Amino acid sequence: MMRSLLFILLAGLASVTARAGEPPATPATDKDTVFAILAAEFAIYRDQFADAQDFYLDQARTTGHPYLAERATRLAMYNKQYADMLEAARLWSKADDSNQALFFLALAQAYNQRATVALEHMRRVLQQHGETDFTRLVNLLPAGDSSETLYLNELQQADQLHPDNYDIALALAILHQRQGDEQLALRYIDKAVELADDNTAVTEYAARLYLQQQQPQQALAVYRKAIDNNPHDLQLRQALAQLAMRYDLAEAARQLQYLLGHSPDDDYVIINLGLTYLKQQQLDDARQMFELLLRQQQRVSSANFYLGLIYQQQGDHDNALAHFLAVSNPDERPQAQEQIIRLYIKQGLYAEAGNRIQRGLAGSNDPAHREALMLLQADIHEQQGDITAAYQILSTLLADNPDSVELRYNRAMLAETENRIPQMEQDLRHIIRIQPDSALALNALGYTLANKTDRYREALQLIEQAYRLLPNDPAILDSLGWVLYRMGNTAEALGYLEKAMQLYPNAEIAAHLGEVLWALDRKEEASRVLHQALDKEPGHHILNDTVKRLNVSR
């Protein structure tokens, strides 16, 4: 082994020396150099990269040999020892006037915050038709660096002389984006992508810049184009799938299915495909993915947790409970315990739920988990009709976390249940102060003012704010229709209520729509809407009150 390694190293020395115009045997005849190289390579073999760098840099200083300086430069860059990288790159460039040596010298200058010199070196590489990396130089500039203007001017001139260089285009895109010129940034991104069809790094940079410009569909399109050019590149498909899980679930599913076909045992692909199906409410497909993980004995705890969620959504409480109980990962167990308690509450098993809450509180120091358990305890009190006890729990929690939106909203809803409108309004307005764009709080306050007071104009303003934020939200559409009806604009109210009913047919919206239809003397339609809703939810109190108040018969 030692002879073969020595042969390779000496051949490398000889070839580079010959290229540099030196007698190839000079460094090889120096026993100290040979043994230092062997020591360096053995250090690399043992992952001792810092020692290898020291060996090579020391020999580069002694011999000035470009091969040794190159190895020292690359190792120093890998080790992030940028001062040593600069010293080694200078030695390399001095002994070897190649573009590659100059390229690494430019990088070394940039890593050492010598931006102007780095730019000059990289520009010389460009003039000599070498491969450039102006993009990295720009990324190494600190934000707001005084050299940004110089870089912008120099690269714009370079772009005119070298219009087919994607690296220059991408560097200009980053610079314009930093300076807030979104239009020019996007123009150069498009150009860089067009010029570099097969460059994964350009694809990643471009996608990142599109996301920074709030253009996720363009970011997705960049990856799609790259995959069209490189259909077998699994890394690109994985990157697209990861991005699409945030912005295009159908695309994410397609890419993950492709990846699964190539790697059927890849737990990362399986669990993400399962999560994608779950987000799309394709519960049977999601269940198959998580069951596959169980069969393969991969991510068993996570698979059980998500299977519990799926069975819970499907109303299969026994299977949901079994899977939640099987969750073993300490990071996932608190959430599983919370779901188990919710299942007990839903089934009316309040004693079992309460006992589990108490055990959880006794065994947990996690503030978020303790708060979730206390909220579940408040839910039990509410379910049992003890609104005062539920309200007190929320008030206690709010004393420690007064800006918690979830706690404020839940307490506001309890106050509304008991017609404590001033207290409800105080909590909701607190939320609106800290989150002015909270459509949930705006709508809740507006609806309650419309429903339980005569402050209709104020209610309308609040609901319209929520509507501007979420124009297709059925709850907001229902509120808007209801306040317009209360203000006497019955015909205008009808359209909003019909749209709300179409998007999310439920008993309360049906009650409002039925009442508006009744007021418009469309009593047959009103009766049909109300009784169809009653057939589905016969115990709904608002629906029953509306039918009784209007004296609607079948």
Side-chain angles (χ1 to χ4, degrees), residues 313-443:
Q313 288 189 54
Q314 293 178 327
D316 187 342
H317 295 161
D318 290 339
N319 266 321
L321 185 61
H323 283 290
F324 284 136
L325 287 170
V327 173
S328 57
N329 187 313
D331 293 332
E332 295 169 327
R333 276 189 65 81
Q335 292 183 64
Q337 293 301 317
E338 292 163 22
Q339 297 302 329
I340 290 169
I341 294 164
R342 288 189 177 92
L343 282 172
Y344 285 149
I345 293 172
K346 192 163 189 177
Q347 296 174 84
L349 302 173
Y350 300 127
E352 290 89 337
N355 289 336
R356 194 168 281 271
I357 288 171
Q358 294 309 314
R359 290 200 301 272
L361 289 171
S364 175
N365 294 318
D366 177 18
H369 181 48
R370 291 179 64 82
E371 181 176 301
L373 292 173
M374 294 294 289
L375 280 169
L376 289 167
Q377 184 66 66
D379 191 22
I380 292 174
H381 288 307
E382 184 180 0
Q383 296 284 339
Q384 293 178 315
D386 191 349
I387 303 299
T388 302
Y391 193 91
Q392 183 57 49
I393 288 175
L394 293 173
S395 297
T396 300
L397 291 171
L398 276 167
D400 294 328
N401 192 4
D403 288 337
S404 169
V405 170
E406 182 180 9
L407 293 175
R408 286 275 174 190
Y409 186 81
N410 285 340
R411 190 171 76 169
M413 294 304 99
L414 285 177
E416 191 270 345
T417 301
E418 292 195 316
N419 284 320
R420 296 164 63 178
I421 305 304
Q423 181 60 59
M424 179 222 67
E425 183 174 356
Q426 180 181 336
D427 280 336
L428 291 177
R429 289 201 182 278
H430 186 99
I431 294 172
I432 294 167
R433 275 197 301 275
I434 60 177
Q435 289 188 0
D437 291 337
S438 173
L440 182 69
L442 289 164
N443 183 60

Side-chain angles (χ1 to χ4, degrees), residues 133-150:
D133 197 349
F134 290 107
T135 300
R136 187 168 353 189
L137 300 193
V138 168
N139 279 320
L140 289 172
L141 281 176
D145 191 278
S146 58
S147 299
E148 277 189 3
T149 302
L150 171 65

Side-chain angles (χ1 to χ4, degrees), residues 169-457:
L170 188 59
L172 282 168
I174 295 169
L175 284 168
H176 284 300
Q177 189 266 340
R178 280 189 180 188
Q179 298 200 347
D181 193 334
E182 295 183 7
Q183 187 174 359
L184 271 177
L186 293 173
R187 193 184 88 188
Y188 279 110
I189 293 172
D190 291 340
K191 179 178 178 179
V193 171
E194 192 66 32
L195 291 170
D197 286 340
D198 299 330
N199 192 302
T200 301
V202 171
T203 298
E204 292 172 350
Y205 270 125
R208 195 177 308 131
L209 287 172
Y210 279 126
L211 290 175
Q212 289 171 353
Q213 300 296 335
Q214 311 297 315
Q215 296 199 31
Q217 294 308 316
Q218 286 294 98
L220 292 169
V222 168
Y223 276 113
R224 290 190 189 104
K225 180 182 176 183
I227 289 169
D228 287 343
N229 294 323
N230 303 277
H232 303 300
D233 190 323
L234 301 185
Q235 184 179 349
L236 279 174
R237 288 185 180 274
Q238 191 171 83
L240 175 55
Q242 193 170 17
L243 181 62
M245 285 184 71
R246 293 165 54 197
Y247 299 109
D248 187 340
L249 292 174
E251 180 70 82
R254 283 193 295 272
Q255 297 305 325
L256 289 165
Q257 287 161 358
Y258 183 96
L259 292 167
L260 185 62
H262 282 73
S263 305
D265 298 329
D266 189 325
D267 60 317
Y268 172 86
V269 173
I270 297 169
I271 197 166
N272 279 291
L273 184 53
L275 290 171
T276 300
Y277 286 142
L278 189 56
K279 289 177 182 177
Q280 293 177 298
Q281 288 298 296
Q282 296 175 226
L283 299 184
D284 290 338
D285 292 331
R287 190 181 69 245
Q288 289 178 18
M289 291 298 103
F290 296 123
E291 287 174 346
L292 176 60
L293 286 174
L294 289 185
R295 288 196 300 275
Q296 295 180 351
Q297 288 297 296
Q298 298 188 95
R299 304 204 188 198
V300 171
S301 183
S302 296
N304 275 307
F305 178 77
Y306 290 116
L307 283 167
L309 290 180
I310 290 167
Y311 282 116
Q312 188 177 30
Q313 288 189 54
Q314 293 178 327
D316 187 342
H317 295 161
D318 290 339
N319 266 321
L321 185 61
H323 283 290
F324 284 136
L325 287 170
V327 173
S328 57
N329 187 313
D331 293 332
E332 295 169 327
R333 276 189 65 81
Q335 292 183 64
Q337 293 301 317
E338 292 163 22
Q339 297 302 329
I340 290 169
I341 294 164
R342 288 189 177 92
L343 282 172
Y344 285 149
I345 293 172
K346 192 163 189 177
Q347 296 174 84
L349 302 173
Y350 300 127
E352 290 89 337
N355 289 336
R356 194 168 281 271
I357 288 171
Q358 294 309 314
R359 290 200 301 272
L361 289 171
S364 175
N365 294 318
D366 177 18
H369 181 48
R370 291 179 64 82
E371 181 176 301
L373 292 173
M374 294 294 289
L375 280 169
L376 289 167
Q377 184 66 66
D379 191 22
I380 292 174
H381 288 307
E382 184 180 0
Q383 296 284 339
Q384 293 178 315
D386 191 349
I387 303 299
T388 302
Y391 193 91
Q392 183 57 49
I393 288 175
L394 293 173
S395 297
T396 300
L397 291 171
L398 276 167
D400 294 328
N401 192 4
D403 288 337
S404 169
V405 170
E406 182 180 9
L407 293 175
R408 286 275 174 190
Y409 186 81
N410 285 340
R411 190 171 76 169
M413 294 304 99
L414 285 177
E416 191 270 345
T417 301
E418 292 195 316
N419 284 320
R420 296 164 63 178
I421 305 304
Q423 181 60 59
M424 179 222 67
E425 183 174 356
Q426 180 181 336
D427 280 336
L428 291 177
R429 289 201 182 278
H430 186 99
I431 294 172
I432 294 167
R433 275 197 301 275
I434 60 177
Q435 289 188 0
D437 291 337
S438 173
L440 182 69
L442 289 164
N443 183 60
L445 180 55
Y447 176 76
T448 303
L449 293 179
N451 203 41
K452 296 198 172 183
T453 75
D454 59 0
R455 295 159 59 186
Y456 301 136
R457 290 196 177 279

